[in-house]
Amino acid sequence: AIKNGFKIMEMVKSINKKIIVVFGGVHCTFDFERIMKKGADAVFLKEADQTFPAFIKYARGESDFDASIHGFTYKSGKGFKKIEYTDPPDFENLPMPAWDLVDTGNYHTVSKLCVLKNVLNDTAPTAIVQTLRGCVARCTFCSVRNFNGLGIRARTTKDVVDEIELLVKDYGVKYLEVVDDDFTADLKRAIAICKEITKRKLDITWSLDNGIRLLTISEELAKNLVASGCRMISVGVESGNKEILHKIKK
């Protein structure tokens, strides 16, 4: 996706070089030097749910620059400067995503996101939901803990299913991709989410494309996943060699 990002930046700058172009996300957090050299005005690091809106208010002249704006790099002369990232947002208490600002009903026509959806029904509206951030594993090849920090931070069951219900009933979403890196870190919570989806009789087919840890799968979890409409999970099987598994901390 970064190549598309560069193309979009080129298009925007060709229209008006004064338009501020900002990058962010997992890839950009660890590749910010190259992105700045490509011409970005700023790159926001790690989770910018609160720091980026604070920056927008400052850029508009609506607020002063203060400690709420942190964790980003910006142009300075011929190079750039970096303000270190301090605190991650309180994920559990973030507001509901502004789904009214996304053309959810037509989004699927330009984004073939969910693998399951592409197999079952290529024309149905799709959405993404994140119920927690982080992962309790320590796999050496993974960037999750470097981006989200150690452990997990989770939303409540009610908050998660309220969002799913909104997507289903107000926006006609039929396929949902849960993009958690460790959905079953808290097995009781994972099962509770499934049961609440079933209880509310939400007509949704969903998947765990990002994967869950194999050892967390139980008979109870499997039954509730199926009952709630989950039709695909991914599991990480990196090696069958004990020495390699030990080295990568699997």
Side-chain angles (χ1 to χ4, degrees), residues 21-32:
V21 177
V22 180
F23 283 73
V26 178
H27 177 101
C28 302
T29 293
F30 304 112
D31 195 25
F32 66 86

Side-chain angles (χ1 to χ4, degrees), residues 25-86:
V26 178
H27 177 101
C28 302
T29 293
F30 304 112
D31 195 25
F32 66 86
E33 291 187 23
R34 181 169 71 106
I35 294 169
M36 292 298 297
K37 290 176 182 178
K38 283 282 188 177
D41 295 294
V43 177
F44 270 74
L45 311 173
K46 299 188 178 182
E47 300 174 40
D49 307 76
Q50 294 170 333
T51 56
F52 184 54
F55 169 78
I56 292 174
K57 289 181 180 179
Y58 167 71
R60 288 175 172 172
E62 298 173 4
S63 66
D64 294 328
F65 190 92
D66 58 29
S68 65
I69 310 172
H70 61 84
F72 73 102
T73 64
Y74 63 97
K75 277 186 177 179
S76 178
K78 294 183 179 180
F80 60 87
K81 291 184 178 180
K82 179 181 179 183
I83 297 179
E84 294 297 332
Y85 190 85
T86 55

Side-chain angles (χ1 to χ4, degrees), residues 174-241:
K174 292 294 184 183
Y175 292 90
L176 188 73
E177 183 174 347
V178 174
V179 295
D180 296 0
D181 290 296
D182 199 358
F183 178 73
T184 52
D186 182 339
L187 197 55
K188 289 183 178 179
R189 173 182 171 277
I191 293 172
I193 289 173
C194 294
K195 286 184 175 180
E196 187 63 21
I197 292 172
T198 305
K199 179 183 176 182
R200 299 192 195 186
K201 298 179 180 179
L202 300 180
D203 182 18
I204 189 72
T205 300
W206 61 287
S207 62
L208 289 161
D209 298 54
N210 243 20
I212 59 178
R213 288 178 294 114
L214 187 61
L215 292 176
T216 64
I217 301 175
S218 66
E219 189 74 20
E220 184 183 9
L221 174 68
K223 287 181 178 178
N224 281 283
L225 285 170
V226 172
S228 63
C230 182
R231 292 294 178 267
M232 187 181 83
I233 63 173
S234 302
V235 293
V237 184
E238 279 74 30
S239 176
N241 181 286

Side-chain angles (χ1 to χ4, degrees), residues 81-187:
K81 291 184 178 180
K82 179 181 179 183
I83 297 179
E84 294 297 332
Y85 190 85
T86 55
D87 300 313
D90 182 2
F91 183 52
E92 183 178 339
N93 294 313
L94 287 177
M96 182 78 73
W99 284 106
D100 58 305
L101 300 181
V102 180
D103 189 7
T104 311
N106 290 311
Y107 205 77
H108 65 279
T109 61
V110 294
S111 176
K112 308 296 183 183
L113 181 69
C114 177
V115 176
L116 181 65
K117 179 181 92 69
N118 294 342
V119 174
L120 297 179
N121 187 339
D122 197 31
T123 61
T126 303
I128 298 172
V129 164
Q130 188 175 35
T131 82
L132 60 76
R133 288 182 181 170
C135 180
V136 301
R138 296 290 185 272
C139 309
T140 58
F141 54 82
C142 185
S143 65
V144 170
R145 65 186 179 283
N146 295 330
F147 186 83
N148 296 116
L150 298 174
I152 64 164
R153 287 166 289 129
R155 296 165 60 188
T156 64
T157 296
K158 182 182 183 303
D159 188 42
V160 170
V161 184
D162 281 351
E163 182 178 5
I164 295 173
E165 184 170 16
L166 175 77
L167 290 167
V168 171
K169 294 185 176 180
D170 290 15
Y171 297 100
V173 167
K174 292 294 184 183
Y175 292 90
L176 188 73
E177 183 174 347
V178 174
V179 295
D180 296 0
D181 290 296
D182 199 358
F183 178 73
T184 52
D186 182 339
L187 197 55

